[in-house]
Amino acid sequence: MELPEQGAGRPASLAAAARTIVATADLDAKIALSRRTADLWFARQLSLRRPTLDPPAPKRPGRPDRPQLLAPRDMPRRSADSRTGHIALLHAIAHIELNAVDLAWDIVGRFAGERVPRSFFDDWVTVGLEESIHFGLLRDRLADFGAAYGDLPAHDGLWQAAEETRCDLSARLAIVPLVLEARGLDVTPSMIERAETRGDEADAAVFRRIYEDEKKHVYFGAKWFKFLCDREGRPFEPTFHALVRKHFRGALKPPFNDRARSEAGLTPGFYRPLETIRT
Ligand SMILES: [Fe+2]
Ligand SMILES: [Fe+2]
């Protein structure tokens, strides 16, 4: 069955659609395109790529004029308890999720020419769709407080990981799902707990949804990282350590959620050797 056309015509390919999503600055359009691309891909109505028709992968994602993007050191400190602090927390997470939308679609669009099974793209299309849902949930939650994404400044360091790993799929998987998204597994349970403690079921439900999906994203990352290592005859953990040391500034911060990480295929031998030494 053909899916109905909505607005713009059908993209030339999955790679073209993914690159367009990354380049799109209008956030409603970015979310709608994520949904439509996932629907077309899973209905098997898109080819993977058509090199003569596909636009190049954008260097940076399209962004609206607001929020203002600041260097991490210039970000205002936020308080945890007041309404303002709560809005700032939701805004910061919304910003992370928006970057996650672009990071997932950039994996699809930039690496569409890799020799990987089709199920690789099934997984990252799923991630792109779910990140766009997470962003939408947080935008709705901000609206409950009369706020909107863009009202506050946001951190301008999150695309660095994509730039740093644009030429190497193993490095991209090491840094994006296995360092950055795995960090989400460490911090989200306490966010759920704090929301429950203050009786905020709406926040708790959003954070629980994100947590469940992010376990899957890390699992996809570990699965495909190991697939690439196996194919190249490289050992998993030393390869991961070398890539993280080369492409990621800073150490990995404990405490780690060992259980969720292990369930996702990221056992301690991957991350323990890279942790901060506390004095
Ligand atoms: Fe997410
Ligand atoms: Fe994710």
Side-chain angles (χ1 to χ4, degrees):
M1 192 186 76
E2 289 275 303
L3 291 177
E5 295 286 345
Q6 299 167 351
R10 174 157 314 183
S13 69
L14 177 65
R19 292 170 190 181
T20 302
I21 294 168
V22 176
T24 298
D26 179 303
L27 301 182
D28 291 320
K30 203 186 272 283
I31 293 177
L33 283 170
S34 295
R35 161 65 64 190
R36 175 162 162 69
T37 301
D39 287 349
L40 286 168
W41 175 250
F42 287 113
R44 299 299 181 224
Q45 292 188 14
L46 278 183
S47 53
L48 175 58
R49 62 195 183 104
R50 299 175 70 186
T52 53
L53 295 175
D54 295 339
K59 285 207 172 69
R60 284 184 67 87
R63 287 284 186 264
D65 295 339
R66 294 183 330 145
Q68 181 194 9
L69 297 175
L70 297 178
R73 64 177 178 281
D74 297 329
M75 286 291 292
R77 290 185 67 80
R78 58 171 192 260
S79 98
D81 296 310
S82 63
R83 178 180 173 276
T84 329
H86 189 181
I87 290 172
L89 172 72
L90 293 171
H91 196 279
I93 304 169
H95 183 62
I96 290 169
E97 294 294 348
L98 176 60
N99 276 275
V101 174
D102 289 317
L103 286 167
W105 288 115
D106 192 67
I107 290 178
V108 174
R110 187 173 299 276
F111 297 103
E114 292 277 328
R115 283 186 308 112
V116 285
R118 203 178 166 90
S119 56
F120 173 90
F121 297 99
D122 291 346
D123 287 352
W124 297 106
V125 168
T126 301
V127 176
L129 172 64
E130 290 179 349
E131 303 297 12
S132 75
I133 293 170
H134 299 167
F135 177 66
L137 289 169
L138 286 153
R139 251 187 4 170
D140 293 349
R141 198 66 195 112
L142 281 165
D144 293 341
F145 292 92
Y149 178 71
D151 286 355
L152 298 171
H155 182 297
D156 188 27
L158 297 174
W159 196 250
Q160 201 183 336
E163 274 171 7
E164 179 66 40
T165 57
R166 67 187 180 280
C167 300
D168 180 347
L169 179 56
S170 295
R172 173 65 63 89
L173 296 177
I175 304 303
V176 173
L178 299 184
V179 171
L180 301 178
E181 296 193 278
R183 174 83 185 136
L185 300 187
D186 303 334
V187 299
T188 312
S190 62
M191 286 167 38
I192 297 170
E193 222 176 276
R194 281 198 297 272
E196 286 170 347
T197 306
R198 64 175 185 269
D200 186 340
E201 188 40 45
D203 264 18
V206 171
F207 299 157
R208 277 196 291 265
R209 165 76 197 261
I210 290 175
Y211 184 54
E212 290 310 312
D213 289 343
E214 295 303 335
K215 286 195 254 187
K216 187 171 35 174
H217 303 174
V218 177
Y219 169 78
F220 290 159
K223 174 173 78 171
W224 291 111
F225 180 79
K226 291 172 186 174
F227 170 89
L228 293 174
C229 286
D230 270 340
R231 196 176 63 189
E232 291 153 18
R234 299 195 286 175
F236 303 154
E237 290 172 3
T239 303
F240 179 73
H241 300 154
L243 289 170
V244 175
R245 287 196 179 107
K246 181 169 175 201
H247 295 288
F248 185 74
R249 275 159 217 120
L252 308 192
K253 289 192 199 101
F256 300 110
N257 183 344
D258 290 315
R259 184 167 172 191
R261 282 170 170 257
S262 290
E263 281 172 8
L266 199 60
T267 39
F270 278 90
Y271 52 89
R272 288 278 177 203
L274 300 168
E275 80 182 80
T276 321
I277 295 165
R278 282 168 157 179
T279 50

